[in-house]
Amino acid sequence: MSTGAEPAEELARVLFRPVRDGNPFEVTVERLATAIRLGAVTDRLPPERELAAMLGVSRMTLRDALGALADAGFVTSRRGRGGGTFVRHRPPPEDDAETVARSMGESLTHALDYRRIIEPGAAALAASCADVQGLRGYLADISAAPDDAARRRADSRFHLAIASVTGNAPLIAAVADVQARLSGLLELIPVLRSNIAHSDAQHAEIVAAIGRGDGAAAERHMREHCDATAALLRGFLR
């Protein structure tokens, strides 16, 4: 059953979950960078004290991580009233899609296969507990995006929101993981005007099925959507 939290709150809770394994600094950098790349955080990060508590790291570790992200162009700090740490809108990567795909190697195929298993299951589970009104808001954000880069981020947030309404932390983390694996490559694939209408229709079908509580239909529509994205990627990379 759902925890009753809003999708954005549930997503932040999972992406900024306490660091348990690995080097605290490196894991903190990874968690924050992933949240930014996926568009889960689009403007201001939570206050330092709150964010450190969410991640379960010292404020010194968090400051070091934020410094590294600032050096990499992910965030910028502002002082004074209304200050804090803010996401920077970075220029698109210089590499082309084929270069990124080659660097991923077999892991690209694994990521697409993994997504085809994980995301349809998340949609099916969401149908048993989702507040569809929240998902419609994420759907509207995709249509209202001012440019291709913003649309990509809104698309990722939509997929993450579907998992988030389940309240299932391991599942949310899995969807965030697969979205993070593919996000860099998807940013480099042209956004085709003809494909936008098809993608929007698929998204609407997924939300409608979740709203009806029809898990089987939600799973089927999400699998079709994942297959369509995979086909588009392979078409550009052959």
PDB file of all heavy atoms in Angstrom, residues 11-33:
ATOM      1  N   LEU A  11      10.003  10.328  -3.622  1.00  0.00           N
ATOM      2  CA  LEU A  11      11.203  10.223  -4.441  1.00  0.00           C
ATOM      3  C   LEU A  11      12.406  10.824  -3.729  1.00  0.00           C
ATOM      4  O   LEU A  11      13.481  10.219  -3.691  1.00  0.00           O
ATOM      5  CB  LEU A  11      10.973  10.934  -5.772  1.00  0.00           C
ATOM      6  CG  LEU A  11      12.162  10.962  -6.737  1.00  0.00           C
ATOM      7  CD1 LEU A  11      12.618   9.547  -7.062  1.00  0.00           C
ATOM      8  CD2 LEU A  11      11.790  11.708  -8.004  1.00  0.00           C
ATOM      9  N   ALA A  12      12.238  12.012  -3.155  1.00  0.00           N
ATOM     10  CA  ALA A  12      13.338  12.649  -2.429  1.00  0.00           C
ATOM     11  C   ALA A  12      13.765  11.791  -1.247  1.00  0.00           C
ATOM     12  O   ALA A  12      14.964  11.665  -0.962  1.00  0.00           O
ATOM     13  CB  ALA A  12      12.915  14.038  -1.953  1.00  0.00           C
ATOM     14  N   ARG A  13      12.808  11.173  -0.575  1.00  0.00           N
ATOM     15  CA  ARG A  13      13.121  10.337   0.582  1.00  0.00           C
ATOM     16  C   ARG A  13      14.011   9.168   0.183  1.00  0.00           C
ATOM     17  O   ARG A  13      14.927   8.788   0.917  1.00  0.00           O
ATOM     18  CB  ARG A  13      11.821   9.817   1.206  1.00  0.00           C
ATOM     19  CG  ARG A  13      12.030   9.030   2.491  1.00  0.00           C
ATOM     20  CD  ARG A  13      10.692   8.588   3.070  1.00  0.00           C
ATOM     21  NE  ARG A  13      10.040   7.603   2.251  1.00  0.00           N
ATOM     22  CZ  ARG A  13      10.329   6.312   2.275  1.00  0.00           C
ATOM     23  NH1 ARG A  13      11.282   5.848   3.055  1.00  0.00           N
ATOM     24  NH2 ARG A  13       9.681   5.465   1.491  1.00  0.00           N
ATOM     25  N   VAL A  14      13.773   8.610  -1.018  1.00  0.00           N
ATOM     26  CA  VAL A  14      14.567   7.461  -1.474  1.00  0.00           C
ATOM     27  C   VAL A  14      15.908   7.900  -2.042  1.00  0.00           C
ATOM     28  O   VAL A  14      16.951   7.337  -1.710  1.00  0.00           O
ATOM     29  CB  VAL A  14      13.776   6.643  -2.510  1.00  0.00           C
ATOM     30  CG1 VAL A  14      14.662   5.576  -3.137  1.00  0.00           C
ATOM     31  CG2 VAL A  14      12.578   5.993  -1.852  1.00  0.00           C
ATOM     32  N   LEU A  15      15.911   8.916  -2.897  1.00  0.00           N
ATOM     33  CA  LEU A  15      17.166   9.359  -3.499  1.00  0.00           C
ATOM     34  C   LEU A  15      18.129   9.914  -2.457  1.00  0.00           C
ATOM     35  O   LEU A  15      19.346   9.795  -2.590  1.00  0.00           O
ATOM     36  CB  LEU A  15      16.896  10.407  -4.575  1.00  0.00           C
ATOM     37  CG  LEU A  15      16.212   9.900  -5.846  1.00  0.00           C
ATOM     38  CD1 LEU A  15      15.979  11.065  -6.812  1.00  0.00           C
ATOM     39  CD2 LEU A  15      17.028   8.818  -6.533  1.00  0.00           C
ATOM     40  N   PHE A  16      17.572  10.537  -1.417  1.00  0.00           N
ATOM     41  CA  PHE A  16      18.410  11.105  -0.362  1.00  0.00           C
ATOM     42  C   PHE A  16      18.391  10.245   0.892  1.00  0.00           C
ATOM     43  O   PHE A  16      18.547  10.738   2.006  1.00  0.00           O
ATOM     44  CB  PHE A  16      17.951  12.526  -0.021  1.00  0.00           C
ATOM     45  CG  PHE A  16      18.074  13.502  -1.172  1.00  0.00           C
ATOM     46  CD1 PHE A  16      17.168  14.530  -1.319  1.00  0.00           C
ATOM     47  CD2 PHE A  16      19.081  13.376  -2.101  1.00  0.00           C
ATOM     48  CE1 PHE A  16      17.276  15.433  -2.366  1.00  0.00           C
ATOM     49  CE2 PHE A  16      19.212  14.267  -3.155  1.00  0.00           C
ATOM     50  CZ  PHE A  16      18.299  15.296  -3.282  1.00  0.00           C
ATOM     51  N   ARG A  17      18.206   8.919   0.697  1.00  0.00           N
ATOM     52  CA  ARG A  17      18.155   8.008   1.838  1.00  0.00           C
ATOM     53  C   ARG A  17      19.533   7.943   2.506  1.00  0.00           C
ATOM     54  O   ARG A  17      20.553   8.253   1.872  1.00  0.00           O
ATOM     55  CB  ARG A  17      17.714   6.619   1.390  1.00  0.00           C
ATOM     56  CG  ARG A  17      18.675   5.926   0.449  1.00  0.00           C
ATOM     57  CD  ARG A  17      18.022   4.711  -0.211  1.00  0.00           C
ATOM     58  NE  ARG A  17      18.943   4.001  -1.081  1.00  0.00           N
ATOM     59  CZ  ARG A  17      19.235   4.376  -2.322  1.00  0.00           C
ATOM     60  NH1 ARG A  17      18.691   5.467  -2.824  1.00  0.00           N
ATOM     61  NH2 ARG A  17      20.071   3.659  -3.058  1.00  0.00           N
ATOM     62  N   PRO A  18      19.595   7.539   3.780  1.00  0.00           N
ATOM     63  CA  PRO A  18      20.868   7.500   4.500  1.00  0.00           C
ATOM     64  C   PRO A  18      21.918   6.647   3.815  1.00  0.00           C
ATOM     65  O   PRO A  18      21.627   5.571   3.277  1.00  0.00           O
ATOM     66  CB  PRO A  18      20.473   6.906   5.860  1.00  0.00           C
ATOM     67  CG  PRO A  18      19.040   7.274   6.021  1.00  0.00           C
ATOM     68  CD  PRO A  18      18.453   7.180   4.641  1.00  0.00           C
ATOM     69  N   VAL A  19      23.132   7.142   3.806  1.00  0.00           N
ATOM     70  CA  VAL A  19      24.262   6.429   3.227  1.00  0.00           C
ATOM     71  C   VAL A  19      24.677   5.315   4.192  1.00  0.00           C
ATOM     72  O   VAL A  19      25.020   5.578   5.344  1.00  0.00           O
ATOM     73  CB  VAL A  19      25.451   7.387   2.988  1.00  0.00           C
ATOM     74  CG1 VAL A  19      26.675   6.608   2.523  1.00  0.00           C
ATOM     75  CG2 VAL A  19      25.062   8.465   1.981  1.00  0.00           C
ATOM     76  N   ARG A  20      24.611   4.084   3.741  1.00  0.00           N
ATOM     77  CA  ARG A  20      24.932   2.941   4.593  1.00  0.00           C
ATOM     78  C   ARG A  20      26.215   2.243   4.162  1.00  0.00           C
ATOM     79  O   ARG A  20      26.947   1.698   4.981  1.00  0.00           O
ATOM     80  CB  ARG A  20      23.784   1.924   4.564  1.00  0.00           C
ATOM     81  CG  ARG A  20      22.437   2.472   5.004  1.00  0.00           C
ATOM     82  CD  ARG A  20      22.441   2.894   6.447  1.00  0.00           C
ATOM     83  NE  ARG A  20      21.097   3.257   6.891  1.00  0.00           N
ATOM     84  CZ  ARG A  20      20.855   3.995   7.963  1.00  0.00           C
ATOM     85  NH1 ARG A  20      21.865   4.469   8.689  1.00  0.00           N
ATOM     86  NH2 ARG A  20      19.620   4.278   8.330  1.00  0.00           N
ATOM     87  N   ASP A  21      26.451   2.201   2.842  1.00  0.00           N
ATOM     88  CA  ASP A  21      27.601   1.450   2.327  1.00  0.00           C
ATOM     89  C   ASP A  21      28.512   2.373   1.529  1.00  0.00           C
ATOM     90  O   ASP A  21      28.071   3.376   0.966  1.00  0.00           O
ATOM     91  CB  ASP A  21      27.128   0.300   1.423  1.00  0.00           C
ATOM     92  CG  ASP A  21      26.210  -0.663   2.158  1.00  0.00           C
ATOM     93  OD1 ASP A  21      26.592  -1.108   3.254  1.00  0.00           O
ATOM     94  OD2 ASP A  21      25.125  -0.952   1.632  1.00  0.00           O
ATOM     95  N   GLY A  22      29.780   2.013   1.450  1.00  0.00           N
ATOM     96  CA  GLY A  22      30.716   2.762   0.647  1.00  0.00           C
ATOM     97  C   GLY A  22      31.247   3.997   1.353  1.00  0.00           C
ATOM     98  O   GLY A  22      30.910   4.295   2.503  1.00  0.00           O
ATOM     99  N   ASN A  23      32.067   4.748   0.635  1.00  0.00           N
ATOM    100  CA  ASN A  23      32.637   5.980   1.160  1.00  0.00           C
ATOM    101  C   ASN A  23      31.556   7.053   1.234  1.00  0.00           C
ATOM    102  O   ASN A  23      30.906   7.344   0.222  1.00  0.00           O
ATOM    103  CB  ASN A  23      33.777   6.433   0.238  1.00  0.00           C
ATOM    104  CG  ASN A  23      34.422   7.714   0.718  1.00  0.00           C
ATOM    105  OD1 ASN A  23      33.888   8.792   0.497  1.00  0.00           O
ATOM    106  ND2 ASN A  23      35.574   7.591   1.361  1.00  0.00           N
ATOM    107  N   PRO A  24      31.321   7.660   2.401  1.00  0.00           N
ATOM    108  CA  PRO A  24      30.228   8.641   2.537  1.00  0.00           C
ATOM    109  C   PRO A  24      30.311   9.784   1.539  1.00  0.00           C
ATOM    110  O   PRO A  24      29.292  10.209   0.983  1.00  0.00           O
ATOM    111  CB  PRO A  24      30.376   9.131   3.981  1.00  0.00           C
ATOM    112  CG  PRO A  24      31.035   7.991   4.687  1.00  0.00           C
ATOM    113  CD  PRO A  24      31.978   7.392   3.682  1.00  0.00           C
ATOM    114  N   PHE A  25      31.529  10.293   1.309  1.00  0.00           N
ATOM    115  CA  PHE A  25      31.685  11.400   0.373  1.00  0.00           C
ATOM    116  C   PHE A  25      31.285  10.991  -1.043  1.00  0.00           C
ATOM    117  O   PHE A  25      30.487  11.661  -1.707  1.00  0.00           O
ATOM    118  CB  PHE A  25      33.136  11.893   0.384  1.00  0.00           C
ATOM    119  CG  PHE A  25      33.489  12.802  -0.757  1.00  0.00           C
ATOM    120  CD1 PHE A  25      33.062  14.128  -0.767  1.00  0.00           C
ATOM    121  CD2 PHE A  25      34.235  12.333  -1.837  1.00  0.00           C
ATOM    122  CE1 PHE A  25      33.373  14.965  -1.834  1.00  0.00           C
ATOM    123  CE2 PHE A  25      34.545  13.161  -2.899  1.00  0.00           C
ATOM    124  CZ  PHE A  25      34.116  14.480  -2.892  1.00  0.00           C
ATOM    125  N   GLU A  26      31.814   9.868  -1.520  1.00  0.00           N
ATOM    126  CA  GLU A  26      31.547   9.437  -2.883  1.00  0.00           C
ATOM    127  C   GLU A  26      30.077   9.091  -3.093  1.00  0.00           C
ATOM    128  O   GLU A  26      29.482   9.434  -4.122  1.00  0.00           O
ATOM    129  CB  GLU A  26      32.427   8.237  -3.227  1.00  0.00           C
ATOM    130  CG  GLU A  26      33.911   8.583  -3.287  1.00  0.00           C
ATOM    131  CD  GLU A  26      34.794   7.361  -3.421  1.00  0.00           C
ATOM    132  OE1 GLU A  26      34.259   6.233  -3.281  1.00  0.00           O
ATOM    133  OE2 GLU A  26      35.997   7.527  -3.654  1.00  0.00           O
ATOM    134  N   VAL A  27      29.488   8.408  -2.126  1.00  0.00           N
ATOM    135  CA  VAL A  27      28.083   8.032  -2.253  1.00  0.00           C
ATOM    136  C   VAL A  27      27.189   9.274  -2.215  1.00  0.00           C
ATOM    137  O   VAL A  27      26.199   9.369  -2.949  1.00  0.00           O
ATOM    138  CB  VAL A  27      27.670   7.030  -1.153  1.00  0.00           C
ATOM    139  CG1 VAL A  27      26.183   6.715  -1.242  1.00  0.00           C
ATOM    140  CG2 VAL A  27      28.477   5.746  -1.280  1.00  0.00           C
ATOM    141  N   THR A  28      27.541  10.245  -1.374  1.00  0.00           N
ATOM    142  CA  THR A  28      26.766  11.479  -1.310  1.00  0.00           C
ATOM    143  C   THR A  28      26.822  12.222  -2.638  1.00  0.00           C
ATOM    144  O   THR A  28      25.790  12.708  -3.135  1.00  0.00           O
ATOM    145  CB  THR A  28      27.296  12.390  -0.186  1.00  0.00           C
ATOM    146  OG1 THR A  28      27.135  11.715   1.067  1.00  0.00           O
ATOM    147  CG2 THR A  28      26.541  13.708  -0.139  1.00  0.00           C
ATOM    148  N   VAL A  29      28.002  12.303  -3.237  1.00  0.00           N
ATOM    149  CA  VAL A  29      28.133  12.941  -4.549  1.00  0.00           C
ATOM    150  C   VAL A  29      27.270  12.212  -5.571  1.00  0.00           C
ATOM    151  O   VAL A  29      26.543  12.829  -6.359  1.00  0.00           O
ATOM    152  CB  VAL A  29      29.608  12.960  -5.007  1.00  0.00           C
ATOM    153  CG1 VAL A  29      29.708  13.384  -6.471  1.00  0.00           C
ATOM    154  CG2 VAL A  29      30.426  13.901  -4.135  1.00  0.00           C
ATOM    155  N   GLU A  30      27.330  10.885  -5.547  1.00  0.00           N
ATOM    156  CA  GLU A  30      26.546  10.087  -6.502  1.00  0.00           C
ATOM    157  C   GLU A  30      25.049  10.327  -6.330  1.00  0.00           C
ATOM    158  O   GLU A  30      24.319  10.528  -7.308  1.00  0.00           O
ATOM    159  CB  GLU A  30      26.856   8.602  -6.321  1.00  0.00           C
ATOM    160  CG  GLU A  30      26.048   7.705  -7.248  1.00  0.00           C
ATOM    161  CD  GLU A  30      26.191   6.235  -6.918  1.00  0.00           C
ATOM    162  OE1 GLU A  30      26.748   5.904  -5.857  1.00  0.00           O
ATOM    163  OE2 GLU A  30      25.730   5.415  -7.726  1.00  0.00           O
ATOM    164  N   ARG A  31      24.572  10.316  -5.083  1.00  0.00           N
ATOM    165  CA  ARG A  31      23.134  10.484  -4.836  1.00  0.00           C
ATOM    166  C   ARG A  31      22.663  11.860  -5.314  1.00  0.00           C
ATOM    167  O   ARG A  31      21.622  11.983  -5.966  1.00  0.00           O
ATOM    168  CB  ARG A  31      22.843  10.342  -3.336  1.00  0.00           C
ATOM    169  CG  ARG A  31      23.146   8.975  -2.766  1.00  0.00           C
ATOM    170  CD  ARG A  31      21.906   8.100  -2.680  1.00  0.00           C
ATOM    171  NE  ARG A  31      22.263   6.767  -2.219  1.00  0.00           N
ATOM    172  CZ  ARG A  31      22.344   6.407  -0.958  1.00  0.00           C
ATOM    173  NH1 ARG A  31      22.080   7.283  -0.004  1.00  0.00           N
ATOM    174  NH2 ARG A  31      22.664   5.170  -0.630  1.00  0.00           N
ATOM    175  N   LEU A  32      23.412  12.896  -4.974  1.00  0.00           N
ATOM    176  CA  LEU A  32      23.018  14.250  -5.355  1.00  0.00           C
ATOM    177  C   LEU A  32      23.084  14.439  -6.865  1.00  0.00           C
ATOM    178  O   LEU A  32      22.177  15.035  -7.467  1.00  0.00           O
ATOM    179  CB  LEU A  32      23.899  15.272  -4.653  1.00  0.00           C
ATOM    180  CG  LEU A  32      23.784  15.332  -3.121  1.00  0.00           C
ATOM    181  CD1 LEU A  32      24.822  16.282  -2.542  1.00  0.00           C
ATOM    182  CD2 LEU A  32      22.387  15.765  -2.709  1.00  0.00           C
ATOM    183  N   ALA A  33      24.153  13.941  -7.483  1.00  0.00           N
ATOM    184  CA  ALA A  33      24.293  14.085  -8.934  1.00  0.00           C
ATOM    185  C   ALA A  33      23.176  13.346  -9.665  1.00  0.00           C
ATOM    186  O   ALA A  33      22.633  13.847 -10.662  1.00  0.00           O
ATOM    187  CB  ALA A  33      25.662  13.568  -9.385  1.00  0.00           C
TER     188      ALA A  33
END
